[in-house]
Amino acid sequence: MASTACFIIVSRNDIPIYEAEVGSAVKKEEAAHQHQFILHAALDIVQDLAWTTSAMFLKAVDRFNDLVVSVYVTAGHTRLMLLHDSRNEDGIKSFFQEVHELYIKILLNPLYLPGSRITSSHFDTKVRALARKYL
Amino acid sequence: MEPDVSIESGCMIRVAVLPIGPIPQSKLRDYVSILVRHNKVELSAISSFYTEDQKSPFANQPWDTGSLRFKFNVGWSPLSPWEDFQSNRKILAVIGICDCPSSPDLDVVGEQFAVACKGYTSSLVQRCFAFCPGEDQLEDGGKKGNNLVLFPPADQQTQEFHLLTMMQDIAASLLMEFEKWVLRAESAGTILKTPLDSQTSLSSEEVIKAKKRRLGRAQKTIGDYCLLAGSPVDANAHYSTAIELARLTGDFFWYAGALEGSVCALLIDRMGEKDPVLEDEVKYRYNSVILHYRKAFMQDNAQRVSTLGFELEATLKLARFLCRAEHAKEVVELLMTAADGAKSLIDASDRLILYVEIARLFGTLGYQRKAAFFSRQVAQLYLQQDDCWAAISAMQVLAMTTKAYRVQSRATSSKSLSSSNENGLSHADIGKMQPQSVVSLFESQWSTLQMVVLREILLSSVRAGDPLAAWSAAARLLRSYYPLITPAGQSGLASALINSAERLPSGTRCADPALPFVRLHSFPLHPLQMDIVKRNPGREEWWLGSAPSGPFIYTPFSKGETIDSSKQEFVWIVGEPVQVLVELANPCGFDLMVESIYLSVHSGNFDAFPIHVSLPPNSAKVIPLSGMPTSVGPVTIPGCIVHCFGVITEHLFRDVDNLLLGAAQGLVLSDPFRSCGSPTLRNISVPNISVVPPLPLLVSHVVGGDGAAILYEGEIRDVCISLANAGSVPIEQAHISISGKNQDSVISIADETLQSSLPLKPGAEVTLPVTIRAWQLGLVDPDNAGGKSASGNVGRLSRDGSSPMMVIHYAGPSCESGDTTTSSSTVPPGRRLVVPLHVCVLHGLSFVKARLLSMEIPAHVSETLPKFVHKENSSTEEFAGSKTDCLVKIDPYRGSWGLRLLELELSNPTDVTFDISVSVQLESPKNDDNPTLIDRDAADFGYPKTRIDRDYSARVLIPLEHFKLPVLDGSYFMKDSQADDASNSKSSISEKNLKAELNASIKNLISRIKVKWQSGRNSAGELNIKDATQAALQSSVMDILLPDPLTFGFKLSKNDMGPKTQIDSPNESNSQVNYIACKGSISAHDMTPMEVLVRNNTKEKIQMNLSITCRDVAGENCIEGNKATVLWAGVLSGINLEVPPLGDIKHCFSLYFLVPGEYTLVAAALIDDADDILRARARTDSPDEPIFCRGPPFHVRVIGTA
Amino acid sequence: MVGREVSESCVDSMIIEMVSSYCDRFCSAKPELAARRIEAIGYQVGLQLSERYTMERPRFSDHLEAIKFICKDFWSELFKKQIDNLKTNHRGTFVLQDNRFRWLTRMSIDPSETNANTSDDPSVATTESKSAQSASMHLYFPCGIIRGALTNLGIPCAVSADMSNLPACSFVVRIKA
Amino acid sequence: MAPLAPRTGDAVFANVERVNAELFTLTYGAIVRQLLTDLEEVEEVNKQLDQMGYNIGIRLIDEFLAKSNVSRCVDFKETADVIAKVGLKMFLGVTASVTNWDVDGTSCSLVLEDNPLVDFVELPDTCQGLYYCNILSGVIRGALEMVSMKTEVTWVRDMLRGDDAYELRLKLLKQVPEEYPYKDDE
Amino acid sequence: MQFFGGSDISPSPPVATGSGSNGHMMYVFNRNGICLLYREWNRPLRTLSSQQDHKLMFGLLFSLKSFTAKMDPTSVDKGNLGVPQLPGQGCSFHSFRTNTFKLSFMESPSGIKIILVTNPKTGDLRESLKYIYNLYVEYVVKNPLYSPGTPIKCELFNTSLDQYVKNLA
């Protein structure tokens, strides 16, 4: 399992609607912040990349120091972003795919306003489980 | 590493620019700015200064197209250890800048300059530019050495020109120096040292290697000089040899250097061209440059020095070269590798430079977030070295990132802010805004990052000693992210705010509001006393037909679209204070002191009154903010000005509205108001408020205390209300109306007194009495039962809506009342005063029941028919009694007193006594075809008072005879028929309105009976018995209202039997009123002539068969019925008569009595072929049933002896 | 996900009722407002469905692809048939025509009115336009769906519809530049 | 001519035109969401949903009668069963069980384990007190009224509120015979 | 009796034996006695105002139903004569025949009454009425523009109805 992994979902409006530190390493707030800064910065690159390919899984698009940003862009341009130090691309891919399914379930909830924060605890636990499974 | 390097920087001649002597910063800036313009000098321009004393090594120098480029380093610039490797790193010239006014002694200047130049061993040319010299300086400046150049004061242009020539001179001499250097190098060779090979002890083979390499390096350096000399072609030639040699000698570092040079040369040569081939070439070469620098790094042990700097610089150079959207991918890749390099950089400042460069490049690429990221890295590096300057630069760098992280201060981002507000406002009903668009309002709520950035800004600005920036940062942090901050952290921020405020001059304003949150709560209604009413000049009742322009009523329940209606027209008045309710919330864990808060009005015609508020932790408060309009015009209230934490800020309602909206959608962290436990309001928008010129203002008070008047039911009381004009304008028109419950209990208002007192000048006062009759209390109304709890009731009653209200519409002068054509806007509005007439009604005398009594009392036969007499105080008791000839009323034709009495039973539950007085008002009959009735003119019958003690009850009798109608008429019969049986219906319509008529006549009957009461000295009233009476009378109304078709009267006829004509002519009867010689007795044993008088009360002629019966009487009830004990009876019958309509006839007959005693005469008639009217009156419907009409009994007293 | 189905008339009657309540009850006074609401409802549905149906497929790299997706897969998921005809001016305007749009198959406008508007009696003419208006109200929903779907696929656009010859219906998509 | 027996819910459902339930679910969801935005008070939303349901019921009843050969809805017990087994099946593809009859047979419960309206739905805290499926009660009420049964339909259990099933309480208020609408004397 | 349902959702129209249009007219009433539809194909003689006509027709059915119910020898639960019934309650008639015409009648439990007047020789029309009821559901009830309880003005319905009745036995 990846020692560091920070997973966020960014809505079409560039709002993070879900954030989770799913790394095995002990969490330090500083680090966590830094992770988010990196992911935020990576959006610029994702933005350009997204239209150049039709694949949802964009693999590693950005890095800073030894941390890599892998991104998965849904058709609705919701971005699943993972900051990680592992190189297990397949694991990451399947992680993304399964999270995507979860996300769609959330999105189909009529009372969930697309683009707003995902508060469902059920979703959170599921995601963390997937992280343990694949990362 | 060096900042701002590009591929071209290889050809730039580095010039140190040094301030000599004291120079004011501003001046230095000016001088430098004009100097640095000349960073490029055309070769063609310098030929005049150039002298070729020997063959120039720059064989193919492009004299016509080429140019020399300069790079000015202002201030002391350190010598680079790599000068030999890249000649453009050498300081090749020094230019001093001196401001003559501030350093008068030019000699000193000269010396200082000389000293300064010492440092720059590599400099080939030195000049000192002395600006604006004085006269004396000018003249002795001449004889100084030629490296002091004086710029005599002159206009801009000449100065420019002068400076240009000087630069050309410098350029020329530099060029010549370069030539010298190159020639020398070519002939003698040169020693080139770089930190890489500065080992003191060279092992033998190294020495050999070094020898081998020297040539190539020399070539490379010559190439550099060619570049500097602006001759790319020559440079290229040298470089290519250098490259070749370097490759052979495996001198990677210099290989890379030469390659770099060659690319530079290439670009200079192909200046301005942008063909892809070139680009690819550059890319290709530079990649190998980078590669070789890395190689050099590999093979060399990097402890002491590393070539990493060069590798990174090269990378950045390439990136900068490619930095365009179409190359984004590559550039990003380059920059990422560059960034990777950072951690292996030894020197912190190098890392700083690297990050700055990367940030810049991302910025130019349009990757704002990336740029922001690296800028922040830079900022952090700055913050690591904690000195003020570093902090300042950190602050500046962070300031640049705020846009990307969306934490801009309002001050900077006012534009974007306003746009977002447009977004907010464009939806009239923001509550109904489509969620999708709402989201866009709260884009990138990336709180984690934003908080970190704000914290860093706060930190840096505190260190940098910029209190305002610190304050604003803390404010933004606290306001936007309080839910994510621990109470401790919150109060920390609070103190940060206060501390930075202490360093600020008082009254400082900041664009970013801190706490509290302020939202518009409501516009309180005008107190009813101050309502403003639009005046529509068109009509007499100007207040009608136009909805009141105020108050602005806020309804929390308004559904769906009605929110638009909250955008109302709303009128304020110059000089009359107004209030607006706002709600403040302090969602934080500390006590919040708002030094002052007041409405911010941009339209400038409003004085807002500041107030002081303190909010405990996690609390919300609704407070009234008041102010006074000062001049006519529209008023806009975007928000409040708040003075809190020592700084003045403006809090816009709109922002909070948007915030709440976001919270409702779950897009914002939390709703500060809800978290303070205050309910959610629908956000109300500020109405269009317009201020109008002063209006009159009427204020009222009830004379003798405003408390409710305590009255018994039905009590009548005058209340005096005094009205005063508290306004500054006279009241010219006023109109009073009554509204509310129990309106009819107001009997009269002295409107005329008000009207007469108009116009009511400011300050003037008028009192008008209002007469009130206390209404009946609902029987089920326990809590005002009895007067016991009267005082308690006052409050209650005046609260509940049962009291009527007096509404006064009034207005000042209408500017031009003459023409109603002027639109109502020009007419100043009027106002409305509502005066509740507080009445507390107590249960008074209560009415138990009413019933109808009837009796008949025989009359006595006499010469005359019994007359209608009435005595004043004839009491009810007397009815039964002896004085038969002075009766209340008697029908002359009927001759006896069929009495119908209404009995009212009253009870007195109160603890005071009541005096009851009944009065019956008579009307003069209308129909003239019955003159005899005229003497019954309108008069009130008074009956003696009845006193009812507390908790007692009493009966009151009211005779109804007065109401008998004179004529039995078809129309009435119709009514009867209705009254009798409304069941059968042929024409329902006429049926209805006949019923109506009947009821009407009953009503008017009833209305003429009044039961007044009096209690104590000053409370008197009237008992409301209408309904009860009506109920009582309804059944037998016919008998009360209608006369019999025939009435009979007996009298003793005079001895002269001449028929007495028209006995009943008015004058006659009047005359007869005087002499009543009622010897109402006849003696036995003699023939007594009598006459019976039959009167026809119908409008039809009546055929009849009259019969007269005479019986003796024993006891009262003898007239009929089985109890009658008849001793003797005589009947006279079979008299056929015909009576003309409304006429009467006499029939004479005689009686002869044998036995004295009391006898009774009764006349009866069988009416032949009676018409419907009679039948109906007789309540029969079978057509053949005989109609029998019996007169009342008459008494005859027979005296004498048997 | 669940492959469950419900009776078609559930959806139909729900939509009918939704439209009529917004037109006659909530925003009776303001038809344009009702239209906005109905469209918004469609928008959300479109948004969600598109995300749902694009799950297993690669993302679209250009507009035409996305539109095609709407015409083919998306439409068949909704109506068990594809759009019959797609036209475009290659400048961001697309016309999607469904020759037998399910939600209009049972819609028939009062014949008396239709021939009324031939006779130039203003009163009936107005009634006719009124019924036409109420008919068009039913199209805001599908328009919203299309817009929502496309927006979700990163293509902000405006969608209008025309039903001049029932039960055919054509939707015009204008992509915001 | 022998009367056809009323058809089973499955038979009818097999025959009717069917559509993808997601469209249905999401459409309904979107409506609810819009109502929440427009009406703001949850109570009001419940009311409106019920009203909409009622109107729908009025329409649906005829289709139901036409397609299932249900010929008489006179007995309340029978009718409740028909709703549970045929009606719900025919439209929503689910069946309910009828339980908790009271003594005089005028009120009972329809219990649904599953219900296409609520696929994917999770009630956020902002919607406390919302009867998400309230439209259903309205439909039943409306339909029954068309077959002359005035009823009162209320939610007893709701899985969205954490109960273990969806339970609707049907209470028969009265059966209204059809009146002769014309006056004699005209 | 009961009403008989086609086994399909929109059953194929029962085969029309014989030929030539012998449908005279058709009425559709709803449970409130409002005449939603009056359609006539061949009615030589018209004596009454349409309003009167509808009233009479409804009255006829109303009383006929209560009579039949009253006369029903099988059932026990009989209200008094004229006491209104629930639709579908008790027994009911489905057609009667005079020497000049035949009237076929069906009533749905929801109180929709379809009356078809044809020439006396026509056979059993219960299937056809059922079919027409289905048409009503498909084209009237499901027409988004139709609001329940109002007179029917639907092209689709009228056309399909006409052509169905045209070739009715």
Side-chain angles (χ1 to χ4, degrees), chain A residues 13-14 36 44 48 62-63, chain B residues 340 367 369-370 439 446:
Chain A
N13 314 300
D14 291 356
Q36 295 218 11
D44 275 329
D48 281 7
D62 192 7
R63 64 179 190 279
Chain B
D340 293 339
Y367 282 12
R369 284 168 284 203
K370 272 285 187 189
V439 175
W446 207 313

Side-chain angles (χ1 to χ4, degrees), chain D residues 14-50:
Chain D
N15 273 321
V16 291
E17 283 288 341
R18 292 183 304 282
V19 294
N20 175 335
E22 282 163 8
L23 174 60
F24 175 65
T25 311
L26 295 180
T27 305
Y28 180 60
I31 293 172
V32 176
R33 234 275 302 287
Q34 190 63 45
L35 287 180
L36 282 166
T37 323
D38 293 351
L39 306 177
E40 284 168 8
E41 278 128 41
V42 171
E43 269 323 301
E44 185 63 14
V45 174
N46 289 338
K47 199 166 125 264
Q48 292 302 342
L49 285 177
D50 179 73

Side-chain angles (χ1 to χ4, degrees), chain A residues 8 10 13-16 19 33-34 36-45 47-49 61-65 113-117, chain B residues 329 332-333 336-337 340 355 367-370 373-374 376-377 404-405 435 439 442-449 452-453 665-667:
Chain A
I8 62 171
V10 181
N13 314 300
D14 291 356
I15 306 176
E19 308 158 12
H33 291 166
Q34 182 67 356
Q36 295 218 11
F37 273 103
I38 298 168
L39 289 164
H40 177 262
L43 282 175
D44 275 329
I45 295 167
Q47 195 170 27
D48 281 7
L49 227 53
V61 298
D62 192 7
R63 64 179 190 279
F64 182 71
N65 297 344
L113 167 61
S116 65
R117 266 189 184 281
Chain B
K329 223 161 177 307
V332 168
E333 202 41 56
M336 274 197 244
T337 29
D340 293 339
Y355 283 153
Y367 282 12
Q368 294 312 331
R369 284 168 284 203
K370 272 285 187 189
F373 176 79
F374 283 100
R376 179 167 164 276
Q377 297 298 319
Y405 292 120
V439 175
F442 303 99
E443 267 185 16
S444 84
Q445 286 286 332
W446 207 313
S447 41
T448 332
L449 308 191
V452 172
V453 173
Q665 303 287 0
L667 295 172

